[in-house]
Short mmCIF file of all heavy atoms in Angstrom, two decimals:
data_model
loop_
_atom_site.label_atom_id
_atom_site.label_comp_id
_atom_site.label_asym_id
_atom_site.label_seq_id
_atom_site.Cartn_x
_atom_site.Cartn_y
_atom_site.Cartn_z
N MET A 1 288.42 194.35 7.41
CA MET A 1 288.39 195.77 7.07
C MET A 1 288.36 195.91 5.54
O MET A 1 289.16 195.30 4.84
CB MET A 1 289.62 196.46 7.64
CG MET A 1 289.66 197.93 7.37
SD MET A 1 291.08 198.64 8.23
CE MET A 1 291.15 200.20 7.45
N ALA A 2 287.43 196.72 5.07
CA ALA A 2 287.28 196.91 3.63
C ALA A 2 288.38 197.85 3.11
O ALA A 2 288.72 198.83 3.75
CB ALA A 2 285.92 197.51 3.34
N ASP A 3 288.94 197.49 1.96
CA ASP A 3 289.92 198.40 1.37
C ASP A 3 289.20 199.31 0.37
O ASP A 3 287.99 199.21 0.15
CB ASP A 3 291.08 197.66 0.73
CG ASP A 3 290.63 196.76 -0.42
OD1 ASP A 3 289.51 196.93 -0.93
OD2 ASP A 3 291.43 195.89 -0.82
N LEU A 4 289.94 200.21 -0.24
CA LEU A 4 289.33 201.18 -1.15
C LEU A 4 288.64 200.50 -2.33
O LEU A 4 287.59 200.97 -2.79
CB LEU A 4 290.38 202.16 -1.66
CG LEU A 4 290.82 203.22 -0.65
CD1 LEU A 4 291.92 204.10 -1.24
CD2 LEU A 4 289.65 204.07 -0.19
N ALA A 5 289.20 199.41 -2.83
CA ALA A 5 288.58 198.70 -3.95
C ALA A 5 287.21 198.15 -3.54
O ALA A 5 286.26 198.20 -4.33
CB ALA A 5 289.49 197.59 -4.45
N ASP A 6 287.10 197.62 -2.32
CA ASP A 6 285.81 197.11 -1.84
C ASP A 6 284.80 198.24 -1.71
O ASP A 6 283.63 198.08 -2.08
CB ASP A 6 285.98 196.43 -0.47
CG ASP A 6 286.80 195.16 -0.56
OD1 ASP A 6 286.82 194.53 -1.64
OD2 ASP A 6 287.43 194.81 0.47
N ILE A 7 285.23 199.37 -1.17
CA ILE A 7 284.34 200.52 -1.01
C ILE A 7 283.89 201.02 -2.37
O ILE A 7 282.71 201.29 -2.60
CB ILE A 7 285.04 201.63 -0.21
CG1 ILE A 7 285.30 201.15 1.22
CG2 ILE A 7 284.20 202.92 -0.21
CD1 ILE A 7 286.22 202.03 2.03
N ALA A 8 284.84 201.11 -3.31
CA ALA A 8 284.50 201.57 -4.66
C ALA A 8 283.52 200.61 -5.34
O ALA A 8 282.56 201.03 -5.97
CB ALA A 8 285.76 201.73 -5.50
N GLN A 9 283.76 199.32 -5.19
CA GLN A 9 282.88 198.33 -5.80
C GLN A 9 281.47 198.41 -5.21
O GLN A 9 280.48 198.35 -5.94
CB GLN A 9 283.44 196.92 -5.60
CG GLN A 9 282.60 195.84 -6.27
CD GLN A 9 282.52 196.01 -7.79
OE1 GLN A 9 283.49 196.39 -8.43
NE2 GLN A 9 281.36 195.74 -8.36
N ALA A 10 281.38 198.58 -3.90
CA ALA A 10 280.07 198.70 -3.25
C ALA A 10 279.34 199.95 -3.76
O ALA A 10 278.14 199.92 -4.02
CB ALA A 10 280.23 198.76 -1.74
N HIS A 11 280.09 201.04 -3.93
CA HIS A 11 279.48 202.28 -4.43
C HIS A 11 278.99 202.09 -5.87
O HIS A 11 277.89 202.52 -6.21
CB HIS A 11 280.47 203.43 -4.34
CG HIS A 11 279.88 204.75 -4.75
ND1 HIS A 11 278.93 205.42 -4.00
CD2 HIS A 11 280.08 205.51 -5.85
CE1 HIS A 11 278.58 206.52 -4.62
NE2 HIS A 11 279.26 206.61 -5.75
N ILE A 12 279.79 201.43 -6.68
CA ILE A 12 279.40 201.18 -8.07
C ILE A 12 278.12 200.34 -8.12
O ILE A 12 277.21 200.63 -8.89
CB ILE A 12 280.54 200.48 -8.84
CG1 ILE A 12 281.68 201.48 -9.07
CG2 ILE A 12 280.05 199.89 -10.17
CD1 ILE A 12 282.97 200.84 -9.55
N GLU A 13 278.05 199.33 -7.28
CA GLU A 13 276.86 198.48 -7.25
C GLU A 13 275.63 199.27 -6.81
O GLU A 13 274.54 199.09 -7.35
CB GLU A 13 277.10 197.27 -6.35
CG GLU A 13 278.10 196.30 -6.97
CD GLU A 13 278.51 195.18 -6.03
OE1 GLU A 13 277.94 195.07 -4.92
OE2 GLU A 13 279.41 194.41 -6.41
N THR A 14 275.80 200.15 -5.82
CA THR A 14 274.69 200.99 -5.36
C THR A 14 274.22 201.92 -6.47
O THR A 14 273.02 202.03 -6.74
CB THR A 14 275.11 201.82 -4.12
OG1 THR A 14 275.44 200.93 -3.07
CG2 THR A 14 273.98 202.75 -3.67
N VAL A 15 275.17 202.57 -7.12
CA VAL A 15 274.83 203.51 -8.20
C VAL A 15 274.11 202.77 -9.33
O VAL A 15 273.11 203.26 -9.87
CB VAL A 15 276.09 204.23 -8.71
CG1 VAL A 15 275.81 204.98 -10.00
CG2 VAL A 15 276.61 205.18 -7.64
N ALA A 16 274.58 201.58 -9.68
CA ALA A 16 273.96 200.81 -10.76
C ALA A 16 272.54 200.40 -10.37
O ALA A 16 271.61 200.50 -11.19
CB ALA A 16 274.80 199.58 -11.09
N ALA A 17 272.35 199.95 -9.13
CA ALA A 17 271.02 199.54 -8.68
C ALA A 17 270.07 200.73 -8.67
O ALA A 17 268.91 200.61 -9.08
CB ALA A 17 271.11 198.92 -7.28
N VAL A 18 270.55 201.88 -8.22
CA VAL A 18 269.71 203.08 -8.20
C VAL A 18 269.38 203.51 -9.62
O VAL A 18 268.25 203.91 -9.91
CB VAL A 18 270.41 204.22 -7.42
CG1 VAL A 18 269.68 205.53 -7.61
CG2 VAL A 18 270.48 203.87 -5.95
N ALA A 19 270.34 203.41 -10.52
CA ALA A 19 270.08 203.79 -11.92
C ALA A 19 268.97 202.94 -12.52
O ALA A 19 268.09 203.45 -13.21
CB ALA A 19 271.36 203.68 -12.74
N VAL A 20 269.00 201.65 -12.24
CA VAL A 20 267.95 200.75 -12.75
C VAL A 20 266.60 201.15 -12.16
O VAL A 20 265.60 201.24 -12.88
CB VAL A 20 268.28 199.28 -12.43
CG1 VAL A 20 267.09 198.38 -12.71
CG2 VAL A 20 269.50 198.84 -13.23
N LYS A 21 266.57 201.43 -10.85
CA LYS A 21 265.31 201.84 -10.22
C LYS A 21 264.81 203.13 -10.84
O LYS A 21 263.62 203.29 -11.11
CB LYS A 21 265.51 202.09 -8.71
CG LYS A 21 265.62 200.87 -7.87
CD LYS A 21 265.73 201.33 -6.43
CE LYS A 21 266.03 200.23 -5.47
NZ LYS A 21 266.16 200.74 -4.10
N ASN A 22 265.72 204.08 -11.06
CA ASN A 22 265.31 205.38 -11.58
C ASN A 22 264.84 205.29 -13.03
O ASN A 22 263.91 205.99 -13.43
CB ASN A 22 266.42 206.40 -11.43
CG ASN A 22 266.49 206.94 -10.02
OD1 ASN A 22 265.49 207.04 -9.34
ND2 ASN A 22 267.69 207.27 -9.58
N VAL A 23 265.47 204.44 -13.80
CA VAL A 23 265.02 204.27 -15.18
C VAL A 23 263.59 203.75 -15.17
O VAL A 23 262.72 204.25 -15.88
CB VAL A 23 265.94 203.33 -15.97
CG1 VAL A 23 265.29 202.90 -17.27
CG2 VAL A 23 267.27 204.02 -16.24
N SER A 24 263.32 202.78 -14.32
CA SER A 24 261.97 202.25 -14.21
C SER A 24 261.02 203.31 -13.71
O SER A 24 259.90 203.46 -14.21
CB SER A 24 261.94 201.06 -13.25
OG SER A 24 262.78 200.04 -13.73
N ALA A 25 261.43 204.08 -12.71
CA ALA A 25 260.56 205.10 -12.13
C ALA A 25 260.27 206.20 -13.13
O ALA A 25 259.15 206.72 -13.19
CB ALA A 25 261.21 205.70 -10.88
N LYS A 26 261.25 206.61 -13.92
CA LYS A 26 261.05 207.71 -14.86
C LYS A 26 260.04 207.34 -15.95
O LYS A 26 259.44 208.21 -16.54
CB LYS A 26 262.38 208.15 -15.46
CG LYS A 26 263.17 208.99 -14.49
CD LYS A 26 264.43 209.54 -15.11
CE LYS A 26 265.15 210.40 -14.09
NZ LYS A 26 266.36 211.00 -14.60
N VAL A 27 259.89 206.05 -16.19
CA VAL A 27 258.86 205.63 -17.13
C VAL A 27 257.51 206.09 -16.63
O VAL A 27 256.65 206.51 -17.40
CB VAL A 27 258.88 204.09 -17.31
CG1 VAL A 27 257.66 203.63 -18.07
CG2 VAL A 27 260.16 203.67 -18.00
N TYR A 28 257.35 206.08 -15.30
CA TYR A 28 256.06 206.44 -14.72
C TYR A 28 255.98 207.91 -14.35
O TYR A 28 254.94 208.52 -14.49
CB TYR A 28 255.78 205.59 -13.47
CG TYR A 28 255.78 204.13 -13.80
CD1 TYR A 28 256.82 203.31 -13.41
CD2 TYR A 28 254.75 203.59 -14.56
CE1 TYR A 28 256.83 201.97 -13.75
CE2 TYR A 28 254.75 202.25 -14.91
CZ TYR A 28 255.80 201.44 -14.50
OH TYR A 28 255.81 200.13 -14.84
N THR A 29 257.07 208.53 -13.86
CA THR A 29 256.99 209.91 -13.41
C THR A 29 257.38 210.89 -14.51
O THR A 29 256.85 211.99 -14.56
CB THR A 29 257.92 210.18 -12.20
OG1 THR A 29 259.27 210.06 -12.64
CG2 THR A 29 257.63 209.24 -11.07
N GLY A 30 258.32 210.50 -15.35
CA GLY A 30 258.77 211.38 -16.41
C GLY A 30 259.55 212.58 -15.94
O GLY A 30 259.93 213.42 -16.72
N LYS A 31 259.82 212.68 -14.64
CA LYS A 31 260.52 213.86 -14.11
C LYS A 31 261.67 213.44 -13.20
O LYS A 31 262.67 212.93 -13.65
CB LYS A 31 259.55 214.75 -13.35
CG LYS A 31 258.57 215.47 -14.24
CD LYS A 31 257.77 216.45 -13.42
CE LYS A 31 256.81 217.22 -14.30
NZ LYS A 31 256.02 218.16 -13.53
N SER A 32 261.50 213.70 -11.92
CA SER A 32 262.57 213.49 -10.95
C SER A 32 262.86 212.01 -10.72
O SER A 32 262.01 211.17 -10.92
CB SER A 32 262.17 214.12 -9.62
OG SER A 32 261.84 215.46 -9.78
N SER A 33 264.06 211.77 -10.24
CA SER A 33 264.41 210.43 -9.81
C SER A 33 263.67 210.12 -8.51
O SER A 33 263.50 210.99 -7.67
CB SER A 33 265.91 210.34 -9.56
OG SER A 33 266.61 210.63 -10.74
N LEU A 34 263.21 208.90 -8.37
CA LEU A 34 262.58 208.51 -7.11
C LEU A 34 263.62 208.16 -6.06
O LEU A 34 263.34 208.25 -4.87
CB LEU A 34 261.65 207.32 -7.33
CG LEU A 34 260.41 207.58 -8.16
CD1 LEU A 34 259.57 206.31 -8.27
CD2 LEU A 34 259.58 208.70 -7.57
N TYR A 35 264.81 207.77 -6.50
CA TYR A 35 265.88 207.38 -5.59
C TYR A 35 267.11 208.24 -5.86
O TYR A 35 267.44 208.50 -7.02
CB TYR A 35 266.22 205.91 -5.77
CG TYR A 35 265.05 205.01 -5.48
CD1 TYR A 35 264.19 204.62 -6.49
CD2 TYR A 35 264.77 204.61 -4.18
CE1 TYR A 35 263.08 203.83 -6.24
CE2 TYR A 35 263.67 203.82 -3.91
CZ TYR A 35 262.83 203.43 -4.94
OH TYR A 35 261.73 202.66 -4.67
N CYS A 36 267.77 208.65 -4.79
CA CYS A 36 268.96 209.48 -4.90
C CYS A 36 270.06 208.74 -5.66
O CYS A 36 270.37 207.58 -5.36
CB CYS A 36 269.45 209.86 -3.50
SG CYS A 36 270.97 210.79 -3.50
N CYS A 37 270.62 209.41 -6.65
CA CYS A 37 271.67 208.80 -7.47
C CYS A 37 272.99 208.66 -6.72
O CYS A 37 273.89 207.96 -7.18
CB CYS A 37 271.90 209.62 -8.73
SG CYS A 37 270.49 209.54 -9.85
N GLU A 38 273.12 209.29 -5.56
CA GLU A 38 274.36 209.19 -4.79
C GLU A 38 274.25 208.14 -3.68
O GLU A 38 275.08 207.27 -3.58
CB GLU A 38 274.71 210.56 -4.19
CG GLU A 38 276.02 210.59 -3.46
CD GLU A 38 277.21 210.32 -4.36
OE1 GLU A 38 277.15 210.66 -5.55
OE2 GLU A 38 278.21 209.77 -3.88
N CYS A 39 273.20 208.22 -2.86
CA CYS A 39 273.10 207.33 -1.70
C CYS A 39 272.07 206.22 -1.87
O CYS A 39 272.05 205.27 -1.11
CB CYS A 39 272.80 208.12 -0.43
SG CYS A 39 271.14 208.82 -0.38
N GLY A 40 271.17 206.36 -2.85
CA GLY A 40 270.18 205.32 -3.10
C GLY A 40 268.93 205.42 -2.26
O GLY A 40 268.00 204.62 -2.42
N GLU A 41 268.86 206.40 -1.38
CA GLU A 41 267.67 206.57 -0.53
C GLU A 41 266.54 207.18 -1.36
O GLU A 41 266.79 207.93 -2.31
CB GLU A 41 267.99 207.47 0.67
CG GLU A 41 268.95 206.85 1.66
CD GLU A 41 268.37 205.63 2.35
OE1 GLU A 41 267.20 205.66 2.77
OE2 GLU A 41 269.09 204.62 2.44
N PRO A 42 265.29 206.90 -0.98
CA PRO A 42 264.16 207.53 -1.70
C PRO A 42 264.20 209.05 -1.54
O PRO A 42 264.55 209.56 -0.49
CB PRO A 42 262.93 206.95 -1.00
CG PRO A 42 263.40 205.74 -0.29
CD PRO A 42 264.85 205.97 0.05
N ILE A 43 263.86 209.76 -2.61
CA ILE A 43 263.76 211.21 -2.57
C ILE A 43 262.32 211.55 -2.22
O ILE A 43 261.40 211.14 -2.93
CB ILE A 43 264.15 211.84 -3.92
CG1 ILE A 43 265.61 211.50 -4.25
CG2 ILE A 43 263.94 213.36 -3.90
CD1 ILE A 43 266.04 211.95 -5.64
N PRO A 44 262.09 212.28 -1.11
CA PRO A 44 260.73 212.59 -0.69
C PRO A 44 259.95 213.33 -1.79
O PRO A 44 260.52 214.12 -2.54
CB PRO A 44 260.93 213.49 0.53
CG PRO A 44 262.29 213.17 1.03
CD PRO A 44 263.10 212.83 -0.19
N GLU A 45 258.65 213.05 -1.83
CA GLU A 45 257.81 213.65 -2.86
C GLU A 45 257.86 215.18 -2.82
O GLU A 45 257.86 215.83 -3.87
CB GLU A 45 256.37 213.18 -2.70
CG GLU A 45 255.47 213.69 -3.81
CD GLU A 45 254.07 213.10 -3.74
OE1 GLU A 45 253.86 212.13 -2.99
OE2 GLU A 45 253.19 213.62 -4.45
N ALA A 46 257.92 215.74 -1.61
CA ALA A 46 257.96 217.21 -1.49
C ALA A 46 259.20 217.77 -2.20
O ALA A 46 259.12 218.79 -2.87
CB ALA A 46 257.97 217.62 -0.02
N ARG A 47 260.33 217.08 -2.05
CA ARG A 47 261.54 217.56 -2.75
C ARG A 47 261.39 217.40 -4.26
O ARG A 47 261.77 218.28 -5.01
CB ARG A 47 262.77 216.78 -2.28
CG ARG A 47 263.99 217.01 -3.18
CD ARG A 47 265.27 217.09 -2.45
NE ARG A 47 266.40 217.18 -3.36
CZ ARG A 47 266.84 218.32 -3.90
NH1 ARG A 47 266.22 219.44 -3.64
NH2 ARG A 47 267.87 218.34 -4.71
N ARG A 48 260.82 216.29 -4.69
CA ARG A 48 260.65 216.08 -6.14
C ARG A 48 259.73 217.13 -6.74
O ARG A 48 259.92 217.56 -7.87
CB ARG A 48 260.14 214.67 -6.41
CG ARG A 48 261.23 213.61 -6.14
CD ARG A 48 260.82 212.22 -6.53
NE ARG A 48 259.99 211.63 -5.50
CZ ARG A 48 258.70 211.30 -5.66
NH1 ARG A 48 258.10 211.45 -6.81
NH2 ARG A 48 258.03 210.76 -4.67
N GLU A 49 258.72 217.55 -5.96
CA GLU A 49 257.82 218.58 -6.45
C GLU A 49 258.49 219.96 -6.42
O GLU A 49 258.28 220.77 -7.32
CB GLU A 49 256.54 218.61 -5.61
CG GLU A 49 255.66 217.39 -5.87
CD GLU A 49 254.40 217.41 -5.02
OE1 GLU A 49 254.17 218.39 -4.28
OE2 GLU A 49 253.65 216.43 -5.09
N ALA A 50 259.30 220.20 -5.38
CA ALA A 50 259.95 221.51 -5.25
C ALA A 50 261.12 221.66 -6.23
O ALA A 50 261.44 222.77 -6.64
CB ALA A 50 260.46 221.70 -3.82
N ALA A 51 261.75 220.55 -6.56
CA ALA A 51 262.91 220.60 -7.45
C ALA A 51 262.73 219.57 -8.57
O ALA A 51 263.34 218.50 -8.54
CB ALA A 51 264.19 220.33 -6.67
N PRO A 52 261.87 219.89 -9.54
CA PRO A 52 261.64 218.95 -10.64
C PRO A 52 262.95 218.57 -11.32
O PRO A 52 263.85 219.39 -11.44
CB PRO A 52 260.74 219.73 -11.60
CG PRO A 52 260.09 220.78 -10.76
CD PRO A 52 261.09 221.12 -9.71
N TYR A 53 263.03 217.34 -11.72
CA TYR A 53 264.20 216.78 -12.41
C TYR A 53 265.40 216.60 -11.49
O TYR A 53 266.50 216.40 -11.97
CB TYR A 53 264.58 217.61 -13.65
CG TYR A 53 263.42 217.74 -14.61
CD1 TYR A 53 262.66 218.90 -14.65
CD2 TYR A 53 263.05 216.68 -15.42
CE1 TYR A 53 261.57 219.01 -15.51
CE2 TYR A 53 261.96 216.78 -16.28
CZ TYR A 53 261.22 217.96 -16.32
OH TYR A 53 260.16 218.06 -17.15
N CYS A 54 265.19 216.67 -10.15
CA CYS A 54 266.31 216.45 -9.25
C CYS A 54 266.71 214.97 -9.30
O CYS A 54 265.90 214.10 -9.61
CB CYS A 54 265.95 216.84 -7.82
SG CYS A 54 264.67 215.84 -7.06
N SER A 55 267.97 214.72 -9.04
CA SER A 55 268.46 213.35 -9.03
C SER A 55 269.14 212.99 -7.72
O SER A 55 269.59 211.87 -7.53
CB SER A 55 269.42 213.11 -10.19
OG SER A 55 270.52 213.98 -10.10
N LEU A 56 269.24 213.98 -6.80
CA LEU A 56 269.88 213.76 -5.50
C LEU A 56 268.90 214.11 -4.38
O LEU A 56 268.10 215.04 -4.54
CB LEU A 56 271.13 214.63 -5.36
CG LEU A 56 272.24 214.43 -6.38
CD1 LEU A 56 273.34 215.45 -6.16
CD2 LEU A 56 272.79 213.01 -6.32
N CYS A 57 269.01 213.42 -3.24
CA CYS A 57 268.23 213.80 -2.07
C CYS A 57 268.80 215.13 -1.55
O CYS A 57 269.88 215.57 -1.97
CB CYS A 57 268.29 212.72 -0.99
SG CYS A 57 269.89 212.52 -0.19
N LEU A 58 268.11 215.75 -0.63
CA LEU A 58 268.53 217.07 -0.15
C LEU A 58 269.91 217.00 0.50
O LEU A 58 270.76 217.86 0.26
CB LEU A 58 267.50 217.64 0.83
CG LEU A 58 267.75 219.07 1.28
CD1 LEU A 58 267.85 220.02 0.08
CD2 LEU A 58 266.66 219.52 2.21
N ASP A 59 270.15 215.97 1.32
CA ASP A 59 271.45 215.86 1.99
C ASP A 59 272.59 215.75 0.97
O ASP A 59 273.60 216.43 1.08
CB ASP A 59 271.48 214.64 2.91
CG ASP A 59 270.60 214.82 4.14
OD1 ASP A 59 270.24 215.98 4.46
OD2 ASP A 59 270.28 213.82 4.78
N CYS A 60 272.41 214.89 -0.02
CA CYS A 60 273.47 214.71 -1.03
C CYS A 60 273.61 215.95 -1.90
O CYS A 60 274.72 216.31 -2.29
CB CYS A 60 273.18 213.48 -1.88
SG CYS A 60 273.38 211.93 -0.97
N GLN A 61 272.49 216.62 -2.19
CA GLN A 61 272.56 217.85 -2.98
C GLN A 61 273.36 218.91 -2.23
O GLN A 61 274.20 219.61 -2.80
CB GLN A 61 271.15 218.37 -3.28
CG GLN A 61 271.14 219.63 -4.12
CD GLN A 61 271.59 219.39 -5.55
OE1 GLN A 61 271.19 218.43 -6.17
NE2 GLN A 61 272.43 220.27 -6.06
N GLN A 62 273.10 219.02 -0.92
CA GLN A 62 273.82 220.01 -0.13
C GLN A 62 275.31 219.68 -0.07
O GLN A 62 276.16 220.57 -0.19
CB GLN A 62 273.23 220.10 1.27
CG GLN A 62 271.87 220.77 1.27
CD GLN A 62 271.19 220.75 2.61
OE1 GLN A 62 271.41 219.86 3.43
NE2 GLN A 62 270.34 221.74 2.85
N LEU A 63 275.65 218.40 0.10
CA LEU A 63 277.06 218.02 0.10
C LEU A 63 277.72 218.33 -1.24
O LEU A 63 278.84 218.83 -1.29
CB LEU A 63 277.21 216.52 0.42
CG LEU A 63 276.95 216.13 1.86
CD1 LEU A 63 276.97 214.60 2.00
CD2 LEU A 63 277.98 216.74 2.78
N GLU A 64 276.99 218.02 -2.32
CA GLU A 64 277.53 218.28 -3.66
C GLU A 64 277.78 219.77 -3.85
O GLU A 64 278.81 220.17 -4.40
CB GLU A 64 276.55 217.76 -4.71
CG GLU A 64 277.05 217.83 -6.12
CD GLU A 64 278.25 216.93 -6.36
OE1 GLU A 64 278.40 215.90 -5.69
OE2 GLU A 64 279.06 217.30 -7.24
N GLU A 65 276.84 220.59 -3.38
CA GLU A 65 277.00 222.03 -3.57
C GLU A 65 278.08 222.59 -2.67
O GLU A 65 278.76 223.55 -3.04
CB GLU A 65 275.67 222.73 -3.39
CG GLU A 65 274.73 222.32 -4.51
CD GLU A 65 273.47 223.15 -4.61
OE1 GLU A 65 273.34 224.14 -3.88
OE2 GLU A 65 272.62 222.79 -5.45
N LEU A 66 278.28 221.99 -1.49
CA LEU A 66 279.39 222.42 -0.65
C LEU A 66 280.72 222.12 -1.34
O LEU A 66 281.66 222.91 -1.28
CB LEU A 66 279.33 221.75 0.72
CG LEU A 66 278.27 222.29 1.66
CD1 LEU A 66 278.19 221.44 2.92
CD2 LEU A 66 278.55 223.75 2.02
N LYS A 67 280.79 220.97 -2.02
CA LYS A 67 282.00 220.64 -2.77
C LYS A 67 282.20 221.67 -3.88
O LYS A 67 283.32 222.10 -4.13
CB LYS A 67 281.89 219.25 -3.41
CG LYS A 67 281.99 218.12 -2.44
CD LYS A 67 282.00 216.83 -3.23
CE LYS A 67 281.06 215.83 -2.68
NZ LYS A 67 280.89 214.64 -3.52
N ASN A 68 281.10 222.07 -4.53
CA ASN A 68 281.20 223.02 -5.64
C ASN A 68 281.59 224.42 -5.18
O ASN A 68 282.27 225.13 -5.91
CB ASN A 68 279.88 223.07 -6.41
CG ASN A 68 279.64 221.81 -7.20
OD1 ASN A 68 280.58 221.08 -7.52
ND2 ASN A 68 278.39 221.54 -7.51
N VAL A 69 281.15 224.80 -3.96
CA VAL A 69 281.53 226.11 -3.43
C VAL A 69 283.05 226.19 -3.32
O VAL A 69 283.66 227.20 -3.66
CB VAL A 69 280.86 226.37 -2.05
CG1 VAL A 69 281.49 227.56 -1.36
CG2 VAL A 69 279.37 226.60 -2.24
N GLY A 70 283.63 225.09 -2.90
CA GLY A 70 285.09 225.03 -2.81
C GLY A 70 285.76 225.14 -4.17
O GLY A 70 286.94 225.49 -4.26
N ARG A 71 285.00 224.87 -5.21
CA ARG A 71 285.53 224.95 -6.58
C ARG A 71 285.12 226.26 -7.25
O ARG A 71 285.30 226.42 -8.45
CB ARG A 71 285.02 223.77 -7.41
CG ARG A 71 285.50 222.45 -6.90
CD ARG A 71 284.91 221.31 -7.72
NE ARG A 71 285.25 220.04 -7.11
CZ ARG A 71 284.43 219.01 -7.06
NH1 ARG A 71 283.24 219.07 -7.60
NH2 ARG A 71 284.81 217.88 -6.49
N GLY A 72 284.45 227.16 -6.49
CA GLY A 72 284.09 228.46 -7.03
C GLY A 72 282.73 228.51 -7.70
O GLY A 72 282.40 229.47 -8.36
N ARG A 73 281.89 227.46 -7.51
CA ARG A 73 280.55 227.46 -8.11
C ARG A 73 279.55 227.88 -7.06
O ARG A 73 279.75 227.71 -5.86
CB ARG A 73 280.20 226.08 -8.64
CG ARG A 73 281.12 225.65 -9.75
CD ARG A 73 280.73 224.29 -10.25
NE ARG A 73 281.76 223.80 -11.15
CZ ARG A 73 282.09 222.54 -11.28
NH1 ARG A 73 281.46 221.62 -10.61
NH2 ARG A 73 283.03 222.18 -12.11
N LYS A 74 278.38 228.41 -7.48
CA LYS A 74 277.38 228.86 -6.53
C LYS A 74 276.46 227.72 -6.12
O LYS A 74 276.37 226.70 -6.80
CB LYS A 74 276.56 230.01 -7.11
CG LYS A 74 275.68 229.59 -8.27
CD LYS A 74 274.84 230.76 -8.72
CE LYS A 74 273.85 230.28 -9.77
NZ LYS A 74 272.92 231.30 -10.14
N MET A 75 275.72 227.92 -5.00
CA MET A 75 274.79 226.92 -4.49
C MET A 75 273.42 227.12 -5.10
O MET A 75 273.01 228.23 -5.38
CB MET A 75 274.70 227.01 -2.97
CG MET A 75 276.02 226.66 -2.30
SD MET A 75 275.94 226.76 -0.51
CE MET A 75 274.90 225.36 -0.17
N ASN A 76 272.65 226.01 -5.28
CA ASN A 76 271.31 226.06 -5.88
C ASN A 76 270.23 225.50 -4.99
O ASN A 76 269.11 225.35 -5.44
CB ASN A 76 271.30 225.30 -7.21
CG ASN A 76 272.13 225.97 -8.26
OD1 ASN A 76 272.17 227.19 -8.33
ND2 ASN A 76 272.82 225.18 -9.05
N VAL A 77 270.50 225.13 -3.75
CA VAL A 77 269.49 224.50 -2.90
C VAL A 77 268.42 225.50 -2.54
O VAL A 77 268.66 226.63 -2.28
CB VAL A 77 270.11 223.92 -1.61
CG1 VAL A 77 269.03 223.41 -0.68
CG2 VAL A 77 271.07 222.83 -1.98
ZN1 ZN B 101 271.28 211.01 -1.25
#
């Protein structure tokens, strides 16, 4: 069973790997991230076109905005 340190380390490794992919991708696209900065999944082209400069996939963006609603911020999806 993984403890919190293992889960945190796995998340850090995922975020770092996605950051490297996105840095490489931005050299070519100059806009949105090709991979979600939260989960590492590819961001569909339709989302990248609809939301230029996005860094999260739709699912992660919605989760992030739900967290923000609880903090009194508005949604942008
Ligand atoms: Zn995501």
